Every structure is written in C-alpha cells, then in structure tokens.
C-alpha cells in the first residue's frame, strides 16, 4: 500500500510481523506533528523513497548497503532493522536481501495523505502551546516542544547575560553555511583542574540530543553544588546547518550540509569525520549516510570541536557525546571488536554508576555496551578520537531515548523526563570521578 506525501516524499516500511504496523503508525502520527512544527510546511524531498523493516539476520547485509549508499538505517538497537530506501536503490536492495535469504515486509508506502491532514492541526497546536518561546526570545529550554536553532541561540544569549557568574557562552567556529557553533562553559564555584565535555546535535535528526543538552545547561546553572569543583563545557548544537534543514526540508536528515562537488548527494557524516582510524566502518560514497568526507577533519564543524577540546586536553576527565536512540551507554572502541580500550573495566564501572542513577530517577533502563560489539564497527567518531588523541580516561557515546518505538521522532513529551534522568546520571558520574 502506497500513499503520497504531498508529492514530496514516499515512505515504505518493511517488517516481520503485524505488530510492527501498530508501532509504525504511532511513529507516523508523531512524524505528522514534527513536520508541521516548523513555521513553513516541511516538504520531504525524497519522492518515492520507501522504508522497510528487515529481518533479524540482515544486520550485516544492511550495514554493507548502508556503506554503499543504497539505504539509510533508521534503527540499530533492536534485532531487526528499519531502513529507508531511495527509489534508485529499490531493485538492488531487494535483490541483495533475497539473495541472502533475509525476509522483509512492507508496512507503509506513502505518508502524504496522513501528513496533509495533520498540517493545519499541528500549526494551530504549536501556535497555542509554544507561547513560552517566541521568535524574539526564549527564556528557558522548552519542556513540551523541541526548540528551533534560533530559539536555542536566544536562550544561550539570555543565560550568558543573566547568569554571568555561572556561565559564559562563546562561538568556537562556524558551520559550512556560516552558523555559529556555541560552547557553554559552566563555571565552578571553586578552583578546579578537572573538566567535563558534552557534545550534542552532531546528527541533525536526533532532536532529543540538543534538547537534553539545553536542559543540562539549565540544571547546572541553577544547581551549583553538582558542578562546584569541575568545569563543564557543553556544545548543545554541533551541526546547526543540518538541524535547520530537518526543520524546513527533511526531518530525517543526518549529515551536515556540505555540498560535495561532482556528486549528486550532499553532506558529510560528522561522526565519521574525526581522525581516529578514519574510514573503518564508514563510506567514501557521498550518497551514503555514513559518508566520512574527503579527509579527516575536512569539515568546519569537527575542526571547531577538535580545536576546543585540544585546549582542554590536560584537564578532561569525561567526554560524553549525546546521540539517539537506543538507551545505551557506549564505550570505545568503535573501530574494532578485536582490540580492547584502555581502562575497559573502569569504563564499565562508571557506566554502571550512570545507568543505576538513571534507573533510580525515572525507572528507565540503559545498558552499558562496547560500541563496536553492541552496535557495529564504525570509526571517525568523537569518542574514539577523544580516548586516542586526548587520552581522556572516561569517554562515552550516550544513545538517549527510546528503544525504537518512536526513534528519531521521539515525542516531545519525553524531553523533561529524559533530561531529568540524564542529569541524575551525569551528576553521579561527576561525583564518582571527583571522589
């Protein structure tokens, strides 16, 4: 069955059971809401794209097709894989799955009619409910809606002015399209030689990541005791161009907005662009969602992050990259399943401090996993680089809520609870590291 997404985007979901259909429909309802949250109706440009759910034995084949640029993986934390396939790759992907004997099932073909029906209702709801954050001001992170990049900038400017003894906000560089990459420095109340680095928003479609980062900034400004003896540095939006693009054009966009000369596809995966075993588990195909870029640190976004982190090299105790989704705390290495990261047992122990604190706060279950073994082999990521180049002892990628029911389209009703549980987890980790 196929529906037309206002002539802009066609989606086909493939799964293994009829129960998948109900979970997909929940996602679709929220996709309607997310798309109409922007001031202009979003027109997803991927006409005749399909989304499939692939059987549990298809992980390796899916990864190969991802690297080849033939599909986009929409979830990676469960036994099966939900993937988006562009029309030009449909035949090749079907043949590859059939040749490997891997089952797949079509759940949805086209979202157009359903999204069109939600347009007006979604606009009215946003206008009524989003009154605490306007075009010209945003005094606090929102609990019930995701913030636009402009609103994020208003909030950061506001706290920089109103709380000068607790925070300084500065730009560490510019994106491909010239937007600022903001760094918030939460100041300790006593002299400190220890620092914590948090990065969010590297993948554009993972909206819960910057939302949580902004709430962590708010918590740290108002709760001085938790960070009294440590400098905390937070980049709440590391990929502003990609994030803006998800609001106005393609909600599921992942990469930055680099124009790849001579290629028909734009963007570089910023979490494959760091100089750590560059190219392993990544792709040199610009049409792949895991395109590594022409060289390590080819992108202004990763260069800015690298340079800011190098200035803190001697003091960094913890590096945490916020992503979604899966509810997993991943430790290095991501580039290899055969080589063990230094301090593995300490990484697991501190990770368990985090997951227990999260569970105590909201009952949400997170798991501590090795990145390569728990997900897939991938290099050029923030976490591996920080451990390898900076020799930071505690380095993690945190995959936030949920476990796939809503995925990248996580309902904004989760923002407050997710932020609270991560705040509790990070607080306990900082206490343990400072002990």
């Amino acid at each position: 069955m196929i529906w037309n997404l206002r002539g802009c985007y066609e989606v086909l979901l493939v799964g293994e059971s009829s129960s998948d259909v109900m979970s997909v429909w929940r996602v679709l309802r929220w996709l309607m809401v997310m798309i109409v949250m922007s001031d202009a109706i979003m027109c997803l440009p991927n006409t005749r794209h399909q989304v499939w759910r692939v059987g549990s034995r298809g992980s390796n084949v899916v990864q190969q097709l991802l690297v080849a640029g033939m599909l986009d993986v929409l979830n990676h934390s469960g036994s099966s894989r939900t993937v988006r396939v562009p029309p030009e790759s449909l035949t090749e992907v079907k043949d590859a799955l059939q040749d490997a004997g891997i089952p797949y099932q079509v759940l949805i073909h086209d979202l157009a009619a359903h999204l069109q029906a939600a347009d007006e209702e979604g606009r009215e709801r946003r206008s009524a409910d989003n009154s605490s954050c306007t075009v010209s001001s945003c005094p606090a992170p929102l609990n019930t809606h995701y913030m636009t990049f402009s609103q994020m900038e208003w909030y950061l400017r506001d706290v920089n002015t109103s709380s000068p003894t607790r925070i300084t906000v500065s730009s560490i560089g510019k994106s491909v399209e010239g937007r600022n990459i903001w760094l918030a420095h939460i100041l300790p109340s006593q002299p400190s030689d220890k620092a914590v680095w948090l990065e969010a928003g590297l993948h554009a479609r993972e909206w819960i990541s910057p939302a949580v980062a902004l709430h962590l900034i708010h918590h740290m400004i108002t709760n001085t005791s938790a960070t009294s003896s440590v400098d905390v540095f937070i980049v709440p939006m590391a990929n502003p161009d990609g994030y803006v693009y998800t609001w106005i054009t393609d909600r599921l966009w992942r990469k930055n907005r680099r124009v790849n000369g001579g290629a028909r596809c734009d963007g570089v995966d910023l979490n494959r662009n760091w100089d750590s075993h560059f190219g392993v588990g990544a792709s040199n195909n610009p049409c792949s969602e895991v395109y590594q870029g022409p060289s390590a640190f080819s992108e202004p976004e990763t260069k800015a992050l690298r340079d800011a982190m190098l200035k803190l090299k001697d003091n960094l105790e913890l590096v945490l990259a916020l992503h979604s989704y899966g509810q997993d705390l991943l430790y290095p290495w991501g580039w290899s399943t055969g080589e063990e990261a230094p301090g593995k047992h300490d990484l697991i122990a501190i990770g368990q401090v985090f997951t227990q604190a999260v569970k105590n706060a909201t009952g949400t279950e997170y798991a501590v996993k090795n990145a390569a073994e728990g997900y897939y082999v991938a290099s050029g990521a923030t976490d591996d680089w920080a451990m390898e180049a900076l020799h930071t002892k505690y380095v993690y990628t945190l995959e936030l809520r949920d476990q796939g029911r809503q995925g990248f389209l996580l309902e904004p009703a989760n923002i407050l609870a997710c932020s609270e549980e991560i705040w509790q987890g990070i607080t306990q980790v900082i206490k343990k590291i400072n002990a």
Side-chain angles (χ1 to χ4, degrees), residues 17-29 107 405:
S17 67
S18 59
S19 62
D20 288 334
V21 176
M22 294 307 297
S23 63
V24 168
W25 280 113
R26 295 186 187 100
V27 172
L28 299 186
R29 286 201 304 270
L107 301 178
R405 182 176 180 181

Side-chain angles (χ1 to χ4, degrees), residues 150 152-162 169 180 182:
S150 294
M152 292 179 187
E153 292 191 301
W154 272 104
Y155 169 67
L156 292 171
R157 283 193 290 266
D158 181 71
V159 295
N160 191 46
T161 301
S162 61
V169 179
N180 281 303
W182 297 106

Side-chain angles (χ1 to χ4, degrees), residues 172 181-184 197-201 213 217 233-238 305:
I172 59 173
I181 300 170
W182 297 106
L183 173 66
W197 177 275
L198 278 74
E199 163 201 288
I217 291 172
F233 298 86
I234 302 179
V235 177
M237 176 44 64
L305 295 168

Side-chain angles (χ1 to χ4, degrees), residues 125-135 137 139 142 144-145 151:
R125 180 165 51 252
R126 183 172 183 238
S127 176
D129 295 346
N130 210 18
S131 57
S132 63
C133 212
T134 68
V135 173
S137 69
L142 297 180
T144 58
H145 289 83
Q151 290 170 339

Side-chain angles (χ1 to χ4, degrees), residues 40-117:
I41 294 297
M42 181 184 300
C43 178
L44 300 181
N46 306 300
T47 303
R48 296 185 303 280
H49 282 222
Q50 300 181 347
V51 179
W52 306 353
R53 189 175 296 274
V54 178
S56 57
R57 294 185 292 107
S59 297
N60 290 336
V61 175
V62 166
Q63 180 65 13
Q64 293 168 7
L65 294 169
L66 171 66
V67 169
M70 293 186 181
L71 54 75
D72 174 20
V73 178
L74 300 182
N75 89 306
H76 44 64
S77 58
S79 59
S80 60
R81 295 288 184 269
T82 304
V83 300
R84 179 175 54 167
V85 186
E88 63 271 17
S89 299
L90 287 173
T91 300
E92 293 99 320
V93 173
K94 288 178 181 178
D95 289 346
L97 294 176
Q98 289 173 354
D99 290 346
I102 297 167
Y104 64 90
Q105 180 185 357
V106 178
L107 301 178
I108 304 292
H109 285 249
D110 182 356
L111 301 177
H114 310 281
L115 293 173
Q116 189 170 13

Side-chain angles (χ1 to χ4, degrees), residues 79-270:
S79 59
S80 60
R81 295 288 184 269
T82 304
V83 300
R84 179 175 54 167
V85 186
E88 63 271 17
S89 299
L90 287 173
T91 300
E92 293 99 320
V93 173
K94 288 178 181 178
D95 289 346
L97 294 176
Q98 289 173 354
D99 290 346
I102 297 167
Y104 64 90
Q105 180 185 357
V106 178
L107 301 178
I108 304 292
H109 285 249
D110 182 356
L111 301 177
H114 310 281
L115 293 173
Q116 189 170 13
D119 279 354
E120 186 173 349
E121 179 184 356
R123 281 171 171 268
E124 291 174 354
R125 180 165 51 252
R126 183 172 183 238
S127 176
D129 295 346
N130 210 18
S131 57
S132 63
C133 212
T134 68
V135 173
S136 60
S137 69
C138 197
L142 297 180
N143 297 333
T144 58
H145 289 83
Y146 291 106
M147 294 167 69
T148 66
F149 181 63
S150 294
Q151 290 170 339
M152 292 179 187
E153 292 191 301
W154 272 104
Y155 169 67
L156 292 171
R157 283 193 290 266
D158 181 71
V159 295
N160 191 46
T161 301
S162 61
S163 304
T165 63
R166 289 295 297 147
I167 186 173
T168 62
V169 179
S170 60
S171 174
I172 59 173
K174 300 281 190 178
S175 65
V176 166
E177 296 179 344
R179 294 181 176 88
N180 281 303
I181 300 170
W182 297 106
L183 173 66
H185 178 194
I186 312 300
L187 305 170
S189 57
Q190 58 192 49
S192 169
D193 62 356
K194 295 182 178 181
V196 171
W197 177 275
L198 278 74
E199 163 201 288
L202 202 62
H203 286 151
R205 63 192 178 190
E206 299 169 7
W207 285 11
I208 189 61
S209 164
V212 167
L214 291 165
H215 277 269
L216 292 177
I217 291 172
H218 179 73
H219 273 298
M220 291 179 186
I221 292 172
T222 56
N223 296 272
T224 58
S225 60
T227 58
S228 61
S229 59
V230 62
D231 288 272
V232 180
F233 298 86
I234 302 179
V235 177
M237 176 44 64
N239 181 10
D241 299 344
Y243 186 71
V244 170
Y245 194 72
T246 64
W247 277 80
I248 63 175
T249 305
D250 184 348
R251 176 61 183 86
L252 295 178
W253 186 259
R254 169 185 169 96
K255 301 184 284 184
N256 76 349
R257 292 297 301 155
R258 165 71 65 193
V259 175
N260 295 314
R264 63 181 176 84
C265 302
D266 295 333
V268 170
D269 182 350
L270 297 177

